[in-house]
Amino acid sequence: MSSAFGKCPLYLKVLLVKNFKRHCEHCHDSVNTKEKYGKLLLKMEQTINSQHQHTPTSSKSTSSNESSTMISNKTSATISNETNIESSAVYGYVSSPDFTLIPDDNKSLDNVQFQHFVEIKNHICGDIKYILKQTEFASKLVELAFDETVSVKNFLVETTSTFNKLKESINDLLILCNKTLENIPSTPTTVDKIQSTEKPISHDPSIIKVFDENELHYLVNQGPYQPLLSQYPWYKEFPLIEYSPITDSIYCFCCRLFGRGPGGAQPENTWVSTGTKMWNKVKGSQGTGKKGKIYIHIASETHKYSLKRYMTFRERKNNVDYMLDKDLQQQEQQKIEQKKTNEQIIKIPIDCSRFLARQRLGSCGHTDEDSNFYQLVNLLSRYNPTLDDWINNNNTRPFKITYMSKDSQNEFIQLLGECVQEKNLREIRQAAYYSIMADSSIDSDRKDMLSVYIRFVNEQGEPEERFVSIKEVHSKTGDGIANHLLEVLNELELDTKK
């Protein structure tokens, strides 16, 4: 693809794909971010691919076309990912993807499902905490009712506004719960299953049974069954030995639970099912130069295999306990609650920036505290408990984010400008035809800046005029100005044939 020729989407100039980046750096000042460059490169590659599809090619060119399509798709995925990260960064929180169930090679399906359900519960609990926080603010309305300076009308307006927001949050939570319930597969329940769950699990090792996953979790959590033995205190020396008062015998805990399985040898019945009660031979010698039964068993391959399976299962159980850790779940729920709070708070400073721009008032002042933006936000915080709490308790948030800095204000203005520009372009695209007006002037840096305006007729048949671009023009010749206007129109994705 790098050696292929294509047309620049802005200048419509034919050049090599590998030289496109250098071309943008020298000829297109507006292409100043990786995202904009990626979009233009993707458009250029798609144009080349479409030309190949309409032209009969050999098998070699077909494989090249498929390769370029793969590159195009990869570029598109990268651009989409970067766009999502940049847009979510405005809220001070990078949103996580939707809940999906993708089994990992190193995890069983049950563990992945369990982790998936924990994430769902954390998300729902985060929403509940946010609703409870809104309820705390709503409870302050009771104090407002006894304020003689507040009229009945203002009190009712404030109450209606607060509970409408609360109702909206509750509806969002109900929609999430119903959607999650629809995605959970229904599992049939039988009488045998209900009866099996009601039967208690015996801890005595003499009870022979094939345990399921939940029963194994319970028994491993309880540990070996070790009633106190005054005559044979072996538990400290052999912590996996357990004793059954029913048969008056000792058993091996890990061999009893994990001795049977694929890849393992047949376990010894003496330590699994029947038990051993030859007390004089458990630790003592069975003859001259021979070790006791328990030492022989510990050194056997069967016991080593069972111990390995037991340790693996216990580590996995600890991982589950780690996911169930209350503190970690609360931290995750706190993040979700903070995200929803950020989404509500961010609307207020954006509206303040919109108000100042609408009234043609400056945002900045001699200091941040003296600026119109800062004072306007503080004024609104007196009547908005959520905003007041956000401003005063910024120490608990990462990097003490308040969205009050000059960088945040500039970002708000840029976002508002992009929204206005997109609205104007949408109206221009709907028009049957349009005309262009352009004029240049020298700015304070002695650069020749070309302003571009577009006149069009709206749906009501009335003429309108929109300012769409102001950029430095590098060539004042007829071709230079024409190429500059073509670049602007193609960058704005306007039809040049109208």
Side-chain angles (χ1 to χ4, degrees):
M1 174 63 75
S2 61
S3 60
F5 284 91
K7 287 185 178 181
C8 171
L10 300 182
Y11 262 4
L12 303 179
K13 178 181 178 181
V14 179
L15 69 157
L16 284 171
V17 175
K18 64 181 181 180
N19 297 333
F20 182 63
K21 185 174 183 180
R22 183 173 58 187
H23 167 76
C24 290
E25 292 174 352
H26 286 81
C27 301
H28 305 306
D29 294 335
S30 59
V31 186
N32 50 11
T33 64
K34 184 185 293 185
E35 180 185 355
K36 292 180 180 179
Y37 168 74
K39 287 183 178 180
L40 291 178
L41 178 61
L42 176 61
K43 186 179 293 186
M44 186 177 184
E45 291 175 346
Q46 289 175 344
T47 304
I48 296 174
N49 292 337
S50 62
Q51 292 175 353
H52 281 298
Q53 291 175 358
H54 292 294
T55 306
T57 56
S58 61
S59 59
K60 181 177 179 180
S61 63
T62 304
S63 62
S64 174
N65 187 22
E66 293 175 353
S67 175
S68 63
T69 305
M70 292 173 62
I71 296 174
S72 174
N73 292 336
K74 183 177 180 181
T75 307
S76 175
T78 305
I79 295 170
S80 176
N81 190 27
E82 291 176 354
T83 306
N84 290 336
I85 293 176
E86 290 180 1
S87 61
S88 59
V90 176
Y91 299 97
Y93 179 89
V94 178
S95 59
S96 59
D98 294 336
F99 297 119
T100 54
L101 200 58
I102 305 177
D104 193 356
D105 293 339
N106 299 325
K107 296 180 180 179
S108 66
L109 183 60
D110 292 338
N111 282 346
V112 176
Q113 286 179 339
F114 187 82
Q115 185 178 6
H116 172 66
F117 293 144
V118 170
E119 291 177 356
I120 292 176
K121 289 193 288 186
N122 286 339
H123 193 278
I124 293 175
C125 289
D127 289 352
I128 293 174
K129 287 185 176 181
Y130 176 73
I131 293 174
L132 292 176
K133 191 174 183 180
Q134 285 183 305
T135 306
E136 293 178 3
F137 292 137
S139 62
K140 296 181 179 180
L141 294 173
V142 179
E143 302 176 2
L144 192 65
F146 296 98
D147 191 346
E148 297 179 355
T149 61
V150 179
S151 66
V152 176
K153 183 178 180 180
N154 290 341
F155 174 73
L156 294 176
V157 170
E158 188 69 25
T159 303
T160 303
S161 175
T162 301
F163 280 93
N164 279 335
K165 294 179 181 178
L166 186 61
K167 179 182 177 182
E168 182 180 349
S169 300
I170 295 174
N171 288 336
D172 292 341
L173 179 59
L174 291 175
I175 291 173
L176 174 62
C177 292
N178 292 331
K179 185 178 179 181
T180 306
L181 283 173
E182 292 175 358
N183 294 333
I184 295 178
S186 58
T187 54
T189 303
T190 61
V191 177
D192 295 336
K193 288 186 177 181
I194 296 176
Q195 291 178 350
S196 65
T197 57
E198 294 176 350
K199 294 178 181 178
I201 303 174
S202 175
H203 203 186
D204 193 285
S206 64
I207 305 299
I208 302 174
K209 183 181 182 300
V210 179
F211 301 104
D212 59 22
E213 184 86 3
N214 295 328
E215 293 171 339
L216 285 176
H217 276 300
Y218 171 77
L219 293 174
V220 169
N221 186 53
Q222 294 295 321
Y225 187 59
Q226 297 177 340
L228 295 179
L229 297 174
S230 58
Q231 187 176 1
Y232 303 104
W234 297 338
Y235 297 146
K236 291 184 178 179
E237 186 177 357
F238 307 104
L240 293 178
I241 291 297
E242 50 185 355
Y243 172 73
S244 171
I246 298 177
T247 59
D248 189 28
S249 304
I250 58 174
Y251 300 79
C252 177
F253 180 67
C254 61
C255 290
R256 181 170 70 91
L257 297 182
F258 301 98
R260 298 177 178 85
Q266 182 67 24
E268 304 175 61
N269 290 332
T270 304
W271 297 96
V272 174
S273 55
T274 60
T276 180
K277 59 176 65 177
M278 301 176 67
W279 306 104
N280 59 333
K281 295 183 179 181
V282 172
K283 289 187 63 179
S285 63
Q286 295 174 310
T288 305
K290 291 186 178 181
K291 296 182 179 180
K293 283 180 172 291
I294 193 168
Y295 293 106
I296 296 175
H297 173 70
I298 291 175
S300 66
E301 294 296 327
T302 303
H303 177 78
K304 292 178 180 178
Y305 168 77
S306 302
L307 181 62
K308 182 178 180 181
R309 289 190 64 194
Y310 166 70
M311 296 301 294
T312 302
F313 185 87
R314 192 173 66 172
E315 289 177 1
R316 188 178 67 179
K317 183 185 79 67
N318 289 337
N319 290 336
V320 173
D321 292 339
Y322 179 80
M323 288 189 295
L324 284 173
D325 187 81
K326 187 176 180 179
D327 293 337
L328 292 176
Q329 289 198 59
Q330 287 181 346
Q331 292 177 9
E332 185 64 27
Q333 294 168 12
Q334 184 69 25
K335 289 182 181 179
I336 296 171
E337 177 194 351
Q338 189 66 55
K339 174 179 175 290
K340 292 188 72 67
T341 303
N342 291 355
E343 291 174 352
Q344 294 297 324
I345 290 295
I346 196 66
K347 298 176 183 178
I348 300 175
I350 290 179
D351 283 341
C352 290
S353 296
R354 182 188 290 114
F355 169 79
L356 293 173
R358 172 65 180 80
Q359 299 303 114
R360 301 180 182 180
L361 298 174
S363 297
C364 302
H366 294 291
T367 62
D368 288 342
E369 289 76 11
D370 293 334
S371 65
N372 291 333
F373 177 84
Y374 193 93
Q375 292 299 324
L376 182 58
V377 173
N378 274 304
L379 174 64
L380 294 177
S381 67
R382 294 172 57 184
Y383 305 96
N384 189 321
T386 306
L387 180 60
D388 184 62
D389 180 73
W390 167 268
I391 295 175
N392 295 327
N393 298 326
N394 63 334
N395 292 326
T396 60
R397 292 190 295 275
F399 309 108
K400 299 182 179 180
I401 297 173
T402 59
Y403 301 132
M404 304 280 280
S405 66
K406 59 182 180 181
D407 293 333
S408 296
Q409 296 176 42
N410 291 333
E411 190 171 1
F412 297 151
I413 294 172
Q414 181 182 355
L415 292 172
L416 291 171
E418 292 175 357
C419 291
V420 172
Q421 179 81 319
E422 183 58 34
K423 179 177 179 295
N424 292 337
L425 293 177
R426 189 162 54 248
E427 294 176 352
I428 296 172
R429 295 187 188 107
Q430 293 174 353
Y433 50 86
Y434 60 85
S435 61
I436 301 174
M437 297 187 300
D439 191 13
S440 65
S441 61
I442 305 297
D443 66 357
S444 58
D445 294 332
R446 309 299 298 173
K447 293 181 180 179
D448 199 2
M449 309 297 291
L450 185 68
S451 302
V452 180
Y453 296 82
I454 291 182
R455 287 180 61 86
F456 64 97
V457 178
N458 60 21
E459 295 180 350
Q460 287 75 30
E462 300 173 352
E464 293 191 18
E465 183 178 311
R466 294 289 183 268
F467 166 74
V468 294
S469 173
I470 179 169
K471 294 169 56 178
E472 181 182 5
V473 58
H474 298 281
S475 175
K476 295 184 180 180
T477 64
D479 289 339
I481 295 177
N483 287 330
H484 182 92
L485 293 175
L486 283 174
E487 176 186 349
V488 170
L489 295 177
N490 285 304
E491 182 183 349
L492 301 177
E493 298 181 355
L494 296 176
D495 188 0
T496 57
K497 298 180 181 179
K498 283 189 176 182

